[in-house]
Amino acid sequence: MGTASAVPVTGRYQSAHVLDVHGRLFLIDCGEGVQHQMLKYRVPLLKLDSICISHIHGDHLFGIFGLLSTISMKGRTAPLNIYAPTNFGPVLKFFLSFYGEGISFEIRFVPMTMKSPEVIYETKSFEILSFPLNHKIDTYGYIFREKIPQMNVSKEAVEKYGFTLSEIGMLKRGEDVVRPAGKDEGADFMNGFVRNSGTDEPLVIKNEDVAYRPYAPRSYAYVSDTAPFTQLADWVKGVDLLYHEATYLQELHEPAANRFHSTTVDAAECAVKAGVGKLVIAHYSSRCQYPARYEVEARKVFPETYAASDGDIFDIPEKKL
């Protein structure tokens, strides 16, 4: 929804991403004008599940008041979780003190205080972790990660062995099926139940022979304003898609360090160390008129780098095992 940094630039809004996870929509950061961008790109405002704020600098937050007011006027009644650093608390209190009577839904503020990655949100199929970054004020990144799915049992195996519901449950959990020895194989087989006939040995049906993982878990990491630091690559290790701010070209590495930001090379080196699948960069300085320069520079270090523009869509396709 936005790729600019602190100073507004024509044609670029400020930081905001919408992530669709199994049909649930998460807004990550909330720069000025985010609701206009969501309307422009047809993102349904009322389907927001939660909001994740990295830090309270204005270019990541100034859209929050308008957004909360609008979704209330549109009739939202479901509670809305907002994950943010503790210093967001006074900001929310100020908003509610003046405009709270007009808010039609409960706002649940969840403060971030962790020193290393911790799970902050969880369903049966995925989880969200938050972790601290290295910026001038308290700032947090987020990882969205699918859980390892249950095993599926092949149709051929079901037809061959006639698994009971209890046995299918065992196989889905990754367990083997052990059946007792039997003498009347013919009758059992006709009823769809195979024993190890004629022996005193049980029949062991190995899980690996009849079940499989339907897909490999996918993951996405959001690394907002930060200077490089040692632990970051380990914390986002192996994610399929890494968003990493790249405010400056490498020639401006000194102001980047002084302002606790990253350059194109910093972001690309993190992607290399972490072994990620794809790197997306943005949060461009107002000095930058051509994001393609960022992409060219980062690709010299990490070829799978993409410089984002407002409205871009990046898909993480389902991965078969």
Side-chain angles (χ1 to χ4, degrees):
M1 299 291 104
T3 57
S5 57
V7 179
V9 176
T10 301
R12 285 186 215 149
Y13 281 72
Q14 294 173 323
S15 291
H17 293 198
V18 174
L19 184 66
D20 183 339
V21 186
H22 299 177
R24 299 183 186 222
L25 300 184
F26 296 87
L27 177 64
I28 313 171
D29 274 342
C30 195
E32 184 177 356
V34 64
Q35 61 179 323
H36 297 283
Q37 289 290 82
M38 293 174 72
L39 291 171
K40 177 180 178 179
Y41 294 110
R42 300 183 178 180
V43 178
L45 298 177
L46 293 183
K47 289 191 176 182
L48 279 180
D49 182 289
S50 302
I51 299 175
C52 299
I53 301 295
S54 64
H55 62 300
I56 65 167
H57 279 164
D59 55 323
H60 296 258
L61 188 65
F62 281 167
I64 192 77
F65 287 8
L67 178 66
L68 294 176
S69 296
T70 298
I71 60 178
S72 179
M73 288 188 286
K74 283 183 171 288
R76 183 185 181 106
T77 57
L80 178 69
N81 293 329
I82 300 180
Y83 301 90
T86 55
N87 53 12
F88 175 71
V91 177
L92 180 60
K93 183 178 180 180
F94 169 83
F95 170 74
L96 293 176
S97 68
F98 283 92
Y99 308 106
E101 290 185 4
I103 300 302
S104 60
F105 56 94
E106 179 187 1
I107 299 174
R108 298 172 178 171
F109 169 44
V110 184
M112 303 291 96
T113 58
M114 63 284 298
K115 302 298 182 183
S116 59
E118 290 184 13
V119 174
I120 60 171
Y121 181 109
E122 190 171 16
T123 72
K124 290 182 179 180
S125 58
F126 71 95
E127 60 188 7
I128 307 173
L129 298 87
S130 183
F131 54 91
L133 296 172
N134 181 23
H135 196 40
K136 289 182 286 188
I137 62 173
D138 286 351
T139 304
Y140 292 86
Y142 296 93
I143 299 173
F144 293 74
R145 185 167 63 195
E146 285 182 322
K147 294 181 178 179
I148 298 174
Q150 278 195 329
M151 305 292 284
N152 278 355
V153 183
S154 73
K155 292 181 180 180
E156 294 80 6
V158 172
E159 293 174 357
K160 177 179 179 180
Y161 292 104
F163 292 121
T164 65
L165 291 177
S166 176
E167 290 173 335
I168 290 174
M170 294 171 62
L171 292 167
K172 283 181 172 290
R173 293 191 297 270
E175 303 169 13
D176 296 335
V177 168
V178 181
R179 290 175 172 174
K183 294 183 179 180
D184 190 3
E185 181 181 10
D188 284 332
F189 184 78
M190 290 299 293
N191 291 322
F193 190 89
V194 178
R195 296 177 183 269
N196 203 7
S197 179
T199 76
D200 294 327
E201 297 294 327
L203 174 65
V204 178
I205 304 171
K206 302 292 289 183
N207 186 277
E208 62 194 43
D209 295 332
V210 296
Y212 61 95
R213 296 279 181 202
Y215 59 85
R218 294 167 291 179
S219 53
Y220 166 81
Y222 179 86
V223 175
S224 178
D225 299 15
T226 189
F229 62 100
T230 304
Q231 300 97 322
L232 180 57
D234 288 333
W235 290 350
V236 300
K237 196 170 190 65
V239 298
D240 294 289
L241 194 154
L242 168 65
Y243 168 80
H244 194 302
E245 70 111 322
T247 307
Y248 297 101
L249 293 166
Q250 185 60 20
E251 65 191 29
L252 296 173
H253 62 92
E254 289 187 3
N258 292 336
R259 296 168 185 171
F260 289 84
H261 278 292
S262 295
T263 68
T264 52
V265 172
D266 293 329
E269 287 180 344
C270 179
V272 171
K273 292 174 185 175
V276 307
K278 182 182 294 184
L279 171 66
V280 173
I281 56 175
H283 198 264
Y284 312 120
S285 167
S286 59
R287 305 182 192 190
C288 172
Q289 296 183 1
Y290 306 105
R293 289 186 61 196
Y294 282 65
E295 185 171 287
V296 169
E297 192 166 85
R299 282 188 172 187
K300 292 177 182 178
V301 178
F302 187 78
E304 279 295 305
T305 299
Y306 299 86
S309 298
D310 288 19
D312 279 354
I313 298 173
F314 295 91
D315 183 42
I316 306 176
E318 189 172 277
K319 299 186 299 181
K320 297 296 183 181
L321 290 171

